[in-house]
Amino acid sequence: MPRHFLFLTLFLIFSCFGSRFVESRVPFACDPRNGLTRSLRFCRTSVPIHVRVQDLIGRLTLQEKIRLLVNNAAAVPRLGIQGYEWWSEALHGVSNVGPGTRFGGAFPGATSFPQVITTAAAFNESLWEEIGRVVSDEARAMYNGGMAGLTYWSPNVNIFRDPRWGRGQETPGEDPVLSGKYAASYVRGLQGNTGSRLKVAACCKHYTAYDLDNWNGVDRYHFNARVSKQDLEDTYNVPFKACVVEGKVASVMCSYNQVNGKPTCADPDILKNTIRGQWRLNGYIVSDCDSVGVLYNTQHYTRTPEEAAADAIKAGLDLDCGPFLAIHTEGAVRGGLLREEDVNLALAYTITVQMRLGMFDGEPSAQPFGNLGPRDVCTPAHQQLALQAAHQGIVLLKNSARTLPLSTLRHHTVAVIGPNSDVTVTMIGNYAGVACGYTTPLQGISRYAKTIHQAGCFGVACNGNQLIGAAEVAARQADATVLVMGLDQSIEAEFIDRAGLLLPGRQQELVSRVAKASRGPVVLVLMCGGPVDVSFAKNDPRIGAILWVGYPGQAGGAAIADVLFGRANPGGKLPMTWYPQDYVARLPMTDMRMRAGRGYPGRTYRFYKGPVVFPFGHGMSYTTFAHTLSKAPNQFSVPIATSLYAFKNTTISSNAIRVAHTNCNDAMSLGLHVDVKNTGEMAGTHTLLVFAKPPAGNWSPNKQLIGFKKVHVTAGALQSVRIDIHVCKHLSVVDKFGIRRIPMGEHSLHIGDLKHSISLQANLEGINFNNDVPSLP
């Protein structure tokens, strides 16, 4: 029996009778059947959580406390507390990367959504939140069945700064606003909306300026990212701030690398002062796995391991993924490098999260989400959402002479060619689990037409051309040809950064020869996380259409086929710039500067002005849309909440007001109304992207994304869309000192082909003219 049919049979059995296969989970703590512990104060749900936490910590010995500082936290039998594994992953579905989650028995798999870079291309906040909600349903179900934890170290919200980065596939792309909105949306979906209680605890990683794994002899364990205050505030930290402030995430993970000479997991400025102080994290800070060991053993940041343990905890680290703190913290305390009160504080943050998850509330089945079980995993609705997410994330890059969609009436036989044409696990990318089942591209296309299949290469490395001849023969026999090419985890992955941007091996030769041989239209489908330079295909008139599908998840093949044959109208937009190959020859991955200057080309669409293969935000449709600005403000008066002395000395700089010295409330939000009309013949989903460009000055010279909306419009219909523009958030810039300011003057808004100007002026009314008032910081 084929694997996917066997899996489907098991899934149907477990869906119908799943609750019979799983016994009730033993409570993590506070088992009501345990007479020795059920009366303890930390077990009383009527007591405030902070009181329960302090009561528990007060009962622990130093040795017990220290064994709770690591991911595989030890049990405390005398208090009825089970051991707990903190490390689970849920990047785009419940994953078995990490020891906290496993598949088998009543849980043979979980819904595997498209890789993050693909769902980011949907530019759809409600989709991201819904995916998070489904993933957390399945995570809670597996927890109830004893197969998973409740703390998930996802999402990855690092900026996709360099197109060679192997983990760019895990991120929402290169734009900080897009990444921040993705982060907050997905976290809200995962954690739920039940007040202080958590459905699962999410974690935004890897903080901060982490976007190099292993390039040209430099690895993440040794890399010191030299980052200006401007780039840190303007780019690298933006998604993490959104995660904490807007998403209210329960955890942040510090990264392996150093930032300006300090390991991130031992830097109190970026941990204690920024995450917990400025952003007010309500949760815990965890190290990337073995990061504390790395800062001592690899980076040689401290003289002794005890100093490393002390530095990390005092900097604000609460939990170590790895054994280092369990081994060396007691020595740090005994040696006077660390106070036991510092250990208590770290535990207070982690235990509070566990209590917010209900882990100290006794019987799991009696708690919220306690009814979730095997029948709530891999449901038809969840799998349908995976298909819809893939539909929304597919980007149509080229469509000459309306090559697409194909027609079932004209294209009876389709040649399906390429190393990714009949893959399964390739479609789910990295940090994935066991999918509910797969529909490969070949299987998907077979639902619409008769197929002739040829791999054309031995894998994506495509080191030989022995199979190209058979692929040419197949193309000559078919009414249309679909080439499914690209990359996989052997080319781009964690600890594997690419050397260049071209298709690997002989893939380009395969595409060009097959396109020349084909008697029908030729479509190139690119399955990859990072961008590739396919200028040859873009410029080849024989290749009528190009689709980028990222890593489209378990239903990827069905989604690709639906788009190819017009059942789904593509509406995705690129979340990253596609550069030509010679771009990467001009700058090393180790250079963290975002802005161009002195021969340096700059990074991402925000700062780079050179030629591109496809720009950020590019994406076509089978229909056409027109924009009309129906309502937009022309000017806005920015209030100043400070004294004249501060106004003269710190508030105004280069004709820009310091954001900290304005009233950044709801009154600073402007409503932009855009009418979107479908002027074509087919219903479609349109992604409305709004960019802003500041007045002339020492700011970014390029336009920058400030908002977006997804809207579905039927043929000939019109939809009105409102975009809220917050002056402090969206029209501000960051100066070279890392200070966010609002430039006065004409700000230009770009919406498709539309341009609109908003004039900002400083409002000096209400300023205290007392010159004796000291300058504000």
Side-chain angles (χ1 to χ4, degrees):
M1 180 184 293
R3 183 174 178 272
H4 62 280
F5 285 121
L6 176 61
F7 194 100
L8 180 61
T9 302
L10 290 171
F11 164 68
L12 292 173
I13 292 173
F14 290 133
S15 295
C16 295
F17 306 105
S19 59
R20 302 179 185 177
F21 289 81
V22 181
E23 296 181 1
S24 178
R25 184 188 180 105
V26 175
F28 169 74
C30 303
D31 190 338
R33 295 163 293 191
N34 186 341
L36 296 177
T37 62
R38 65 188 177 193
S39 62
L40 296 176
R41 195 176 191 199
F42 67 79
C43 290
R44 298 177 190 169
T45 57
S46 59
V47 175
I49 283 180
H50 71 277
V51 177
R52 298 170 67 192
V53 169
Q54 293 304 319
D55 178 76
L56 171 57
I57 293 174
R59 298 175 187 272
L60 298 170
T61 66
L62 177 61
Q63 290 75 21
E64 288 170 337
K65 292 173 183 177
I66 288 170
R67 285 296 293 124
L68 298 179
L69 293 174
V70 290
N71 62 289
N72 58 337
V76 187
R78 66 184 186 86
L79 297 178
I81 299 172
Q82 305 292 320
Y84 181 66
E85 177 54 67
W86 286 83
W87 181 7
S88 292
E89 304 276 357
L91 186 69
H92 52 108
V94 179
S95 169
N96 55 1
V97 176
T101 303
R102 63 189 189 277
F103 291 100
F107 299 96
T111 308
S112 192
F113 290 91
Q115 181 60 286
V116 176
I117 197 70
T118 307
T119 49
F123 283 84
N124 189 342
E125 294 177 77
S126 62
L127 172 69
W128 303 329
E129 186 166 343
E130 181 64 10
I131 291 173
R133 187 194 64 76
V134 166
V135 172
S136 60
D137 274 355
E138 298 195 350
R140 266 284 176 172
M142 293 180 68
Y143 172 78
N144 293 341
M147 303 294 279
L150 289 176
T151 47
Y152 288 84
W153 294 344
S154 303
N156 179 346
V157 298
N158 292 116
I159 296 296
F160 196 177
R161 170 187 62 102
D162 190 292
R164 294 164 288 193
W165 188 31
R167 301 189 73 176
Q169 60 180 291
E170 303 174 31
T171 76
E174 70 181 36
D175 182 79
V177 169
L178 169 63
S179 299
K181 288 182 179 292
Y182 174 86
S185 298
Y186 189 62
V187 165
R188 280 193 290 263
L190 284 177
Q191 296 190 164
N193 186 23
T194 53
S196 65
R197 291 287 174 157
L198 296 168
K199 189 179 180 185
V200 304
C203 173
C204 286
K205 63 185 185 183
H206 313 80
Y207 179 73
T208 180
Y210 167 63
D211 49 18
L212 178 150
D213 269 65
N214 189 7
W215 176 84
N216 201 28
V218 180
D219 66 49
R220 60 190 182 179
Y221 306 124
H222 295 85
F223 182 50
N224 176 23
R226 299 192 180 277
V227 188
S228 69
K229 291 181 178 180
Q230 185 175 37
D231 285 340
L232 204 60
E233 174 67 23
D234 187 40
T235 299
Y236 296 110
N237 282 358
V238 172
F240 293 97
K241 183 177 182 179
C243 219
V244 175
V245 176
E246 299 169 27
K248 303 190 185 306
V249 74
S251 176
V252 173
M253 176 183 286
C254 51
S255 54
Y256 289 114
N257 56 287
Q258 296 186 0
V259 174
N260 299 325
K262 290 185 179 181
T264 64
C265 293
D267 188 345
D269 185 55
I270 68 172
L271 298 186
K272 183 183 294 184
N273 296 346
T274 301
I275 297 179
R276 199 171 296 287
Q278 294 178 27
W279 302 346
R280 302 193 179 281
L281 171 71
N282 182 18
Y284 69 98
I285 299 173
V286 61
S287 73
D288 204 342
C289 294
D290 293 321
S291 282
V292 185
V294 165
L295 73 88
Y296 171 70
N297 294 304
T298 304
Q299 298 174 358
H300 308 297
Y301 184 69
T302 61
R303 185 176 55 85
T304 67
E306 290 78 16
E307 288 174 336
D311 282 1
I313 293 174
K314 289 192 293 186
L317 187 73
D318 306 310
L319 186 71
D320 179 18
C321 178
F324 197 90
L325 291 187
I327 298 171
H328 300 292
T329 301
E330 184 172 2
V333 174
R334 302 295 186 202
L337 300 171
L338 187 70
R339 301 175 306 159
E340 188 168 350
E341 288 81 2
D342 296 320
V343 175
N344 294 346
L345 183 61
L347 289 181
Y349 292 126
T350 56
I351 295 171
T352 296
V353 168
Q354 289 181 314
M355 288 196 176
R356 292 173 64 198
L357 287 163
M359 294 174 65
F360 286 82
D361 292 354
E363 183 59 52
S365 62
Q367 299 175 31
F369 317 113
N371 61 327
L372 295 171
R375 63 167 58 91
D376 301 295
V377 180
C378 287
T379 68
H382 293 181
Q383 297 193 63
Q384 181 63 27
L385 182 64
L387 175 62
Q388 292 173 5
H391 283 160
Q392 293 191 34
I394 290 175
V395 181
L396 179 61
L397 298 174
K398 175 184 176 181
N399 195 22
S400 301
R402 302 180 112 182
T403 297
L404 292 179
L406 300 176
S407 168
T408 55
L409 300 177
R410 298 192 307 275
H411 306 113
H412 300 286
T413 303
V414 177
V416 184
I417 295 167
N420 282 338
S421 58
D422 196 29
V423 293
T424 53
V425 293
T426 297
M427 295 193 300
I428 59 178
N430 69 352
Y431 278 80
V434 178
C436 308
Y438 296 98
T439 302
T440 73
L442 176 64
Q443 291 170 334
I445 295 169
S446 297
R447 296 173 180 175
Y448 287 92
K450 179 182 177 182
T451 56
I452 307 171
H453 179 238
Q454 289 291 333
C457 287
F458 294 110
V460 296
C462 204
N463 290 322
N465 60 3
Q466 304 95 317
L467 304 181
I468 295 180
E472 291 174 301
V473 171
R476 292 190 189 102
Q477 297 173 343
D479 302 316
T481 298
V482 177
L483 289 136
V484 190
M485 314 298 290
L487 311 175
D488 64 13
Q489 301 306 305
S490 69
I491 305 293
E492 56 173 354
E494 185 169 8
F495 220 65
I496 302 177
D497 296 328
R498 289 189 285 161
L501 303 181
L502 300 177
L503 287 170
R506 301 276 186 111
Q507 283 198 41
Q508 180 172 330
E509 179 186 350
L510 170 62
V511 173
S512 296
R513 284 176 56 178
V514 166
K516 186 176 180 180
S518 180
R519 76 178 192 195
V522 178
V523 181
L524 174 61
V525 177
L526 296 167
M527 188 181 296
C528 51
V532 288
D533 181 355
V534 288
S535 300
F536 78 96
K538 177 183 177 183
N539 299 326
D540 189 340
R542 294 167 298 193
I543 300 174
I546 304 175
L547 287 173
W548 175 70
V549 301
Y551 293 118
Q554 64 175 52
I560 291 168
D562 289 345
V563 169
L564 288 172
F565 284 90
R567 184 174 181 180
N569 189 350
K573 303 287 187 184
L574 288 180
M576 71 295 201
T577 303
W578 285 37
Y579 303 93
Q581 167 69 10
D582 63 3
Y583 169 79
V584 296
R586 300 169 59 192
L587 73 175
M589 279 193 73
T590 50
D591 197 321
M592 301 295 291
R593 289 177 294 163
M594 298 301 297
R595 288 158 173 78
R598 296 184 181 179
Y600 185 73
R603 295 186 180 275
T604 77
Y605 80 97
R606 299 167 64 218
F607 306 106
Y608 171 68
K609 281 191 169 183
V612 300
V613 180
F614 295 108
F616 173 89
H618 176 68
M620 306 170 70
S621 171
Y622 295 153
T623 188
T624 54
F625 298 93
H627 306 111
T628 305
L629 202 58
S630 60
K631 183 181 177 182
N634 294 310
Q635 59 184 16
F636 184 80
S637 182
V638 180
I640 299 175
T642 184
S643 71
L644 178 63
Y645 183 92
F647 170 75
K648 286 180 177 179
N649 289 276
T650 67
T651 299
I652 290 289
S653 174
S654 300
N655 198 29
I657 296 175
R658 194 167 178 164
V659 166
H661 297 171
T662 65
N663 294 315
C664 287
N665 51 31
D666 292 341
M668 298 283 279
S669 185
L670 310 176
L672 189 73
H673 296 257
V674 182
D675 289 337
V676 179
K677 185 174 183 180
N678 185 335
T679 55
E681 301 174 353
M682 183 178 184
T685 301
H686 181 58
T687 303
L688 189 71
L689 303 179
V690 180
F691 296 87
K693 186 174 181 179
N698 296 321
W699 317 116
S700 169
N702 297 355
K703 64 182 183 181
Q704 304 188 35
L705 184 72
I706 61 171
F708 53 86
K709 279 288 181 68
K710 197 91 167 176
V711 55
H712 185 79
V713 192
T714 57
L718 182 146
Q719 292 273 5
S720 183
V721 181
R722 177 188 169 105
I723 301 282
D724 289 319
I725 300 173
H726 196 281
V727 173
C728 294
K729 293 179 182 178
H730 302 135
L731 300 184
S732 61
V733 296
V734 177
D735 68 17
K736 64 181 180 180
F737 303 106
I739 297 172
R740 188 167 288 277
R741 299 180 181 276
I742 306 170
M744 298 297 100
E746 297 288 327
H747 290 251
S748 178
L749 303 183
H750 300 244
I751 309 105
D753 295 330
L754 291 177
K755 290 186 179 180
H756 176 75
S757 292
I758 299 178
S759 177
L760 301 185
Q761 297 96 26
N763 181 358
L764 308 184
E765 293 182 11
I767 290 181
N768 180 359
F769 286 85
N770 181 2
N771 290 342
D772 295 328
V773 178
S775 174
L776 294 178

